[in-house]
Structure formats: structure tokens, C-alpha cells
Amino acid sequence: MSDINEFKCIECEKKFKFLKNLRAHIKTNHPLLKLDEIAPTKKQKNINLYIFTCDQCTKSHCDQKNLIEHKKVAPTIEIIVQCAMCLFTATYKNINIHYEKDHNIIQSVDSFEFESIDGFNNWKHEIELSTQTLHVKKFDQNPC
């Protein structure tokens, strides 16, 4: 494992992908070590783990995916996106105005409630078939 986000036990040099696994290892195998100094939780931030820094603010993240999500939702950050239909660029929140004004594409939001996850998955499958699209969201359990 030569990943930039690996966590290594300083006592036996065993490597872990997730901080929580390192903490469990230390509790079980090296109980006399100072756990919070070696494998700090988010509350006790080890600045060495936070190597992904936003280029528009001072916030740092321990995972590149967190940095990407931060840039999407941070209210003070203006993300520039390009229109899928032309070369126009705008901020993430203003691109919808461009779609409506210049391409006559009106986006709407519908709200649905499902009795079960199976009901949702069936609905999603039908939408994907009828629109020839695929909607995927990766789920990543972040160790930080």
C-alpha cells in the first residue's frame, strides 16, 4: 500500500487504509501507547494528515474527495463550470440561468417518497432506461 492516505503504526509499522482501523489496532495490540497522539480523531486534528488544501481558502482536508466536496458546497467559493452545450462558462449556481435563457432548458425539481429502497431502485431503473442515462453516486466512508 503506497497510498498517500495510509496510516502507519509507529510501533510495528503495520499500515492501514483507514484511521479507525489504526486506532483499533493500537487499542488491541499496543495499549500502552498514547492513542490520541499517534492516531488522533477529528477533534484532535493531526495537521500532518491534512495535506489537501483549498486554493481559494485556508481549509485543509485529509482526503482529496473531501476537498472536492468542499469546493462544491462552500458558500464563499465560486466554482466555474462550462455549459454542456456551448463554450459558455459561469459559476456553478448561475449556470442554470444560462441554460434557461440561452438554450430554453428549464430545470425543475420533483420530490418523491418511496416505501422502500426497492421501490426507489425500481423507479431509478425505469428513469435510467427511459432517458438513457445512468445515475451513480459513490459512497466513501472517510477515515478522517
Side-chain angles (χ1 to χ4, degrees):
M1 202 183 324
S2 63
D3 190 290
I4 201 162
N5 277 348
E6 69 183 7
F7 300 94
K8 190 191 303 186
C9 176
I10 62 166
E11 187 70 17
C12 65
E13 305 220 346
K14 188 171 181 178
K15 297 175 184 176
F16 300 90
K17 186 173 181 178
F18 299 105
L19 179 63
K20 65 182 180 182
N21 294 345
L22 171 60
R23 289 180 62 84
H25 165 79
I26 292 171
K27 285 179 188 175
T28 305
N29 298 295
H30 314 294
L32 298 179
L33 294 179
K34 295 180 180 172
L35 178 64
D36 289 325
E37 288 180 17
I38 298 165
T41 61
K42 200 171 196 174
K43 289 179 183 173
Q44 296 162 325
K45 190 166 155 175
N46 181 347
I47 198 68
N48 295 328
L49 297 177
Y50 290 74
I51 58 173
F52 299 99
T53 304
C54 179
D55 57 359
Q56 298 181 24
C57 71
T58 59
K59 188 154 174 92
S60 294
H61 303 271
C62 64
D63 189 289
Q64 189 171 18
K65 291 176 187 172
N66 287 352
L67 175 61
I68 292 167
E69 288 302 311
H70 161 77
K71 287 185 175 186
K72 285 181 186 175
V73 298
T76 60
I77 297 174
E78 294 286 325
I79 298 174
I80 305 298
V81 292
Q82 182 175 345
C83 172
M85 303 180 76
C86 69
L87 297 176
F88 181 81
T89 58
T91 61
Y92 189 75
K93 63 183 179 181
N94 291 331
I95 196 73
N96 293 333
I97 297 168
H98 164 74
Y99 282 126
E100 186 173 338
K101 191 173 101 177
D102 295 337
H103 299 295
N104 295 321
I105 298 173
I106 299 171
Q107 297 181 23
S108 64
V109 177
D110 294 325
S111 180
F112 299 97
E113 289 186 27
F114 299 95
E115 302 258 336
S116 66
I117 191 68
D118 289 333
F120 165 75
N121 286 328
N122 290 336
W123 169 83
K124 178 178 173 268
H125 181 70
E126 291 299 317
I127 293 292
E128 290 174 337
L129 287 176
S130 68
T131 60
Q132 297 181 346
T133 58
L134 183 60
H135 300 278
V136 179
K137 176 160 174 76
K138 272 189 172 180
F139 177 74
D140 183 29
Q141 292 182 340
N142 192 326
C144 301

